[in-house]
Amino acid sequence: LVSANVVNHAIMSAVHQDRGAHRAYLPTQEQIKNPSLQLPWKKTGEVNLSPNFQFDRFPASRCVVERWDCAALVHESFLDRAADNTLCTFDFGWYDFNRAGYREHKYVHRSPSVNKEYWSEGARWSTNFFAFTKQDLEGVNWQAIYGKGDDEEEFTGPHAERRERHSCAV
């Protein structure tokens, strides 16, 4: 399975951070005083080194899932790199999270549509856009797909591992 690269994504944001794709941005004092103004952030450096904007290697990185300001930093970085023609820093080619050491995560997966929880492990990256063939779906554990988000849980980790295949982002 292959997923298209997305900018504000828990796992991929950590990869982009490691590659130096995120630039240093901070909200202006005027923005902090009045967030409803929705002003552009101020660029303070070429690479984000702020401890306040660190993207953890985790399937549901807090800096992406719980904080709008991290998403703002990522999008400002993306737009700035588009303006100066350096979007290549977001391009990491093929990246197989399961084989790149992201299997260390253990967490409770929640399937709210059917009120089910179970322990899982691995990268669990978003399949916002993905490509596959009919044969790629052979052996999918359809019993593990209950509702929203469960397809990501199955396709991006266990299924690829059972088939001894790669599960990559591009």
Side-chain angles (χ1 to χ4, degrees), residues 2-22 55-61 64 74 89-93 95-97 102 123-130 156 167-170:
V2 178
S3 174
N5 183 1
V6 291
V7 176
N8 186 38
H9 177 284
I11 290 284
M12 290 188 205
S13 287
V15 174
H16 293 149
Q17 173 183 262
D18 292 346
R19 293 183 46 82
H22 299 159
F55 297 84
D56 300 324
R57 284 177 39 142
F58 192 71
S61 173
V64 172
V74 169
T89 59
F90 282 95
D91 182 3
F92 47 75
Y95 201 89
D96 188 337
F97 297 109
Y102 284 77
R124 191 189 184 275
W125 43 278
S126 177
T127 55
N128 293 30
F129 176 82
F130 65 103
T156 64
S167 184
C168 301
V170 295

Side-chain angles (χ1 to χ4, degrees), residues 2-148:
V2 178
S3 174
N5 183 1
V6 291
V7 176
N8 186 38
H9 177 284
I11 290 284
M12 290 188 205
S13 287
V15 174
H16 293 149
Q17 173 183 262
D18 292 346
R19 293 183 46 82
H22 299 159
R23 292 200 160 144
Y25 273 92
L26 292 173
T28 62
Q29 288 301 317
E30 190 176 357
Q31 177 70 32
I32 292 170
K33 290 177 190 171
N34 189 353
S36 65
L37 293 176
Q38 300 179 357
L39 298 172
W41 284 29
K42 181 180 180 183
K43 183 177 172 183
T44 60
E46 288 300 311
V47 178
N48 171 40
L49 299 174
S50 170
N52 296 323
F53 296 101
Q54 294 298 305
F55 297 84
D56 300 324
R57 284 177 39 142
F58 192 71
S61 173
R62 291 186 65 186
C63 203
V64 172
V65 176
E66 298 176 13
R67 294 180 46 198
W68 69 268
D69 55 344
C70 290
L73 176 119
V74 169
H75 285 92
E76 291 280 5
S77 296
F78 182 81
L79 294 173
D80 191 56
R81 290 203 175 273
D84 71 5
N85 201 27
T86 58
L87 281 176
C88 58
T89 59
F90 282 95
D91 182 3
F92 47 75
W94 291 83
Y95 201 89
D96 188 337
F97 297 109
N98 300 323
R99 295 206 178 32
Y102 284 77
R103 290 290 297 153
E104 72 265 23
H105 305 296
K106 295 182 184 338
Y107 54 93
V108 174
H109 172 72
R110 290 179 175 82
S111 184
S113 56
V114 293
N115 200 26
K116 187 168 180 71
E117 294 182 355
Y118 58 89
W119 277 99
S120 191
E121 63 180 304
R124 191 189 184 275
W125 43 278
S126 177
T127 55
N128 293 30
F129 176 82
F130 65 103
F132 57 90
T133 66
K134 178 181 172 186
Q135 293 78 21
D136 289 332
L137 297 179
E138 291 174 4
V140 168
N141 179 4
W142 296 105
Q143 300 304 311
I145 302 175
Y146 305 103
K148 182 180 179 183

